[in-house]
Each structure stands twice: as C-alpha cells, then as structure tokens.
Amino acid sequence: MPILRSAFIALSRNQPLRHFSERSALGRRLSSRFVAGMEIDDALRAAQALHDQGIASTLDSLGENVTTPEQARRSADIYHRLLDAIAARKLNANVSLKLTQMGMDLDPALASEIVSGLVDHAVAANNFIRIDMEGTDYTQATLDLTQSLHAQPANRGHVGVVIQAYLYRSAQDIADLTASGIRIRLCKGAYKEPPSLAFPQKSEVDANYIRLTQTLLASGIYHGIATHDPAMIDAAKHFAHESSIPKTSFEFQMLYGIRRDLQRALVAEGYNLRVYTPFGSEWYPYFMRRLAERPANVLFLAKSLLKS
Ligand code: FDA
C-alpha cells in the first residue's frame, strides 16, 4: 500500500498527465466523484445543498503552485467573489486556500499581500479564511503568515490554519498556535514526507492524531477535527464526552464525496460538520491525492465507468 500511495503522489506532480487529464471529458467525469464542479455556481449549489442538510462547508477553488503573479491575483479574485456570494446567500460556509495558489513560490510578499486582502474581506463579511497546509517546504512560512495576520486585532478569529498529525513538529506548532488563540484544522497529512520529518507508520500517525485531538479539544478554541477515520472520530467523541466538552465547541470536517454515510451519522448525533468542497478546472493534483489515500478508489471509479 505505501508503494501505491507514493506512486499516486508522484503522479499528482506529473505535468503532462495533468495537462491531458484536466482537458479530457473522461477526466472531468472521473473527477466529479470528489470535485463539486468546474464553476463557482457549482460550488455554491453544493454548499446550498449541504446547508439545507444542516452541514457547513468550506469552499476551495482548486489550484496550487501558480507560476505568474497574474494567476495568483486571478485565484484571489475567485475567493473575493466567493466571500460575496456566501454573504449574499447567507450560507453557512467559509473558504480554504493554498499559499502556493496565491503566489508563494514567486514572491512570499505577494502571497502575504494577497491573503491579507482576503482576510480583510472576510473580516468585513464576518467570515473566515482557512489556510490549507501543503508540503513541508511551506510549513514554517504558512505558520508565520497565519500568526502575523492573526496578530492584527481586527483579524482575530477570522483566519486559521491546518496542522498535519504525521509531522513530528505538530505538537509544538499546536502549542504555539493555541497560545495565540488561532483556530486549527487537524488532518493526518496528504503529502509525501521523509521519515526525518514525518512518522512513517500509519499506527504512529493515528496515535499522534488522537493525542493532538485531545490537546485541541481541551484548548477552549473552536477547532476542526478533519478525518474520515472512524477510530479517530470515536476517540474525539469519547474524549469530549469524558471531559464534559460540549459537542458544539468543535466541528468534524470531511471531504466532499467521501464517507457520506459517516457525515450524515455525525449530523444526526448532533455534532457540527463541515464539508471541504473543492471546485474548478485545476482538479488533477487534488484528485490524485485522494487516490493516494485510498488506492481502492481506482477500482471504484473503474466500476462506476463500466456501469454508466
Ligand atoms: P485514513 O487515510 O486513515 O482513512 C480512514 C478511512 O477514511 C478509510 O479507511 C476510508 O474509509 C476513508 N477514506 C479516507 N480517504 C479516502 C478517500 N480518498 N476516498 C475514500 N475514502 C477515504 N491534508 C493536508 O495535507 N493539508 C490540508 O490542508 C488538508 N485539508 C483537509 C481538509 C479536510 C476537511 C479533510 C477531511 C482532509 C484534509 N487533508 C489535508 C487530507 C488529510 O491529510 C488526509 O490525507 C485525508 O483526510 C485521509 O485521511 P483520514 O484522516 O481520512 O484517514
């Protein structure tokens, strides 16, 4: 399994295959399993449908590692439009973005300026910007930018970040972020990292995920526990119950199209749930990371193609 995971992560960076897939009708059809559609309106429709079921969403305009400042600014424009549309439709939704989509590889000052403009917009709209976490080349820069944005008093509570349980450094990062009152999404981690930086064994990642969940739930800050793993979810529920932490003081988060059975069950039990809802034509790297997490998805997709 780890070999397949590595293979899919390597494929996620393959530019010719990406170019071909994103333009092919078959590719678009396959991607619809995990992607809400190609346009802003598709994402808003998905968010409305979730909203009507009592589920919050976080909208992600797909894209990463842009190569020109114009691309970065165009990516930010989509987020500005999303923030306006969410407010106009009164949706229970916020947005998630990636720093490399905002020009981080080109010029960190450009990314900082662009994200700062988006956080200003979120403050005005009383909404929230989540900065996704990418590979370890970006961890420190992502945390530094989050801290500096959140340090501006008007921005407090309007910007948060993601921590990956597979990294050794995460317990310390959580201590630093919670000391500043920053909202965290905890996930296991979706990139390929060396054993010098990340736990190589799934059992170690899972054990760390449970430890970090407990730290987050006990912190008194509203965090997101992002996982589809029933063992992680049960551990969070159990700890919250034992520690008399109210169900409403945190939220579970899952990805669009994954474990919808679990999503419905959590809502029925009275937990808050937010669904990460990606959209847009640049779906290929995101899609390949989903296959890396569960190579059996390839069989599943092949079967659904044969059936249709
Ligand atoms: P795990 O991989 O152990 O899977 C547990 C079970 O969940 C599986 O047995 C299967 O049933 C189901 N499952 C998991 N993945 C599936 C898939 N792709 N298809 C079908 N079933 C699947 N990562 C990151 O590095 N930076 C980030 O910013 C984010 N952001 C983020 C937001 C949200 C809301 C979620 C839920 C996840 C992320 N991730 C992420 C991805 C995360 O790091 C991780 O790769 C996936 O969530 C898979 O890990 P699980 O915790 O689900 O457990």
Side-chain angles (χ1 to χ4, degrees):
M1 273 315 179
I3 296 173
L4 275 177
R5 179 172 190 271
S6 304
F8 280 115
I9 292 182
L11 279 177
S12 79
R13 299 202 206 96
N14 184 307
Q15 287 304 328
L17 195 55
R18 171 175 179 179
H19 194 78
F20 171 76
S21 307
E22 287 179 352
R23 274 154 194 79
S24 83
L26 176 64
R28 285 181 172 214
R29 215 165 105 209
L30 286 177
S31 71
S32 69
R33 179 69 183 81
F34 301 123
V35 173
M38 297 296 135
E39 308 294 337
I40 285 191
D41 278 346
D42 297 326
L44 292 169
R45 250 193 308 278
Q48 183 71 59
L50 290 164
H51 181 108
D52 294 344
Q53 299 168 67
I55 301 175
S57 52
T58 185
L59 303 183
D60 166 42
S61 169
L62 289 165
E64 47 204 82
N65 300 101
V66 298
T67 51
T68 67
E70 293 70 37
Q71 278 180 326
R73 292 197 191 281
R74 270 201 303 276
S75 303
D77 280 347
I78 297 177
Y79 280 101
H80 283 294
R81 283 163 58 198
L82 279 175
L83 288 169
D84 285 336
I86 289 169
R89 296 175 190 218
K90 299 190 171 53
L91 291 173
N92 186 1
N94 62 33
V95 298
S96 290
L97 56 78
K98 291 187 170 49
L99 290 186
T100 64
Q101 185 184 16
M102 301 296 146
M104 195 66 178
D105 292 327
L106 304 168
D107 176 5
L110 171 73
S112 166
E113 177 217 310
I114 289 178
V115 180
S116 173
L118 283 165
V119 175
D120 288 348
H121 192 161
V123 171
N126 194 23
N127 208 330
F128 177 81
I129 306 277
R130 175 78 64 189
I131 304 182
D132 286 347
M133 189 56 83
E134 301 177 70
T136 41
D137 288 349
Y138 306 102
T139 310
Q140 193 58 49
T142 304
L143 296 174
D144 290 347
L145 181 59
T146 308
Q147 285 277 11
S148 82
L149 289 168
H150 196 266
Q152 297 171 36
N155 293 350
R156 207 180 156 78
H158 293 282
V159 58
V161 73
V162 178
I163 289 292
Q164 298 154 322
Y166 63 15
L167 296 185
Y168 303 129
R169 59 178 290 166
S170 289
Q172 185 58 50
D173 290 338
I174 285 181
D176 296 341
L177 292 163
T178 50
S180 305
I182 295 176
R183 285 166 58 180
I184 295 168
R185 170 199 298 151
L186 180 65
C187 66
K188 289 192 188 177
Y191 296 81
K192 180 156 176 50
E193 303 295 354
S196 55
L197 300 175
F199 294 105
Q201 301 294 332
K202 177 176 160 51
S203 58
E204 296 171 304
V205 178
D206 289 356
N208 200 37
Y209 193 99
I210 292 173
R211 277 194 299 274
L212 299 179
T213 295
Q214 295 178 351
T215 309
L216 293 181
L217 295 186
S219 72
I221 302 167
Y222 188 87
H223 296 297
I225 307 301
T227 179
H228 316 92
D229 187 339
M232 303 298 107
I233 293 169
D234 285 347
K237 285 180 183 172
H238 183 73
F239 180 78
H241 181 73
E242 292 295 299
S243 320
S244 304
I245 293 166
K247 283 180 177 173
T248 50
S249 64
F250 64 98
E251 64 187 27
F252 286 109
Q253 299 187 352
M254 294 193 199
L255 300 177
Y256 180 85
I258 297 182
R259 293 304 309 258
R260 279 172 284 205
D261 54 336
L262 263 183
Q263 297 183 9
R264 281 191 291 269
L266 284 173
V267 174
E269 289 168 42
Y271 289 98
N272 292 341
L273 175 70
R274 186 178 301 276
V275 168
Y276 187 101
T277 306
F279 71 98
S281 55
E282 295 179 38
W283 48 264
Y284 176 84
Y286 176 89
F287 179 77
M288 294 309 273
R289 288 197 294 273
R290 303 295 76 85
L291 297 188
E293 281 152 10
R294 189 164 172 267
N297 279 336
V298 177
L299 286 179
F300 176 85
L301 289 169
K303 273 192 214 147
S304 67
L305 274 186
L306 288 175
K307 268 194 230 145
S308 58

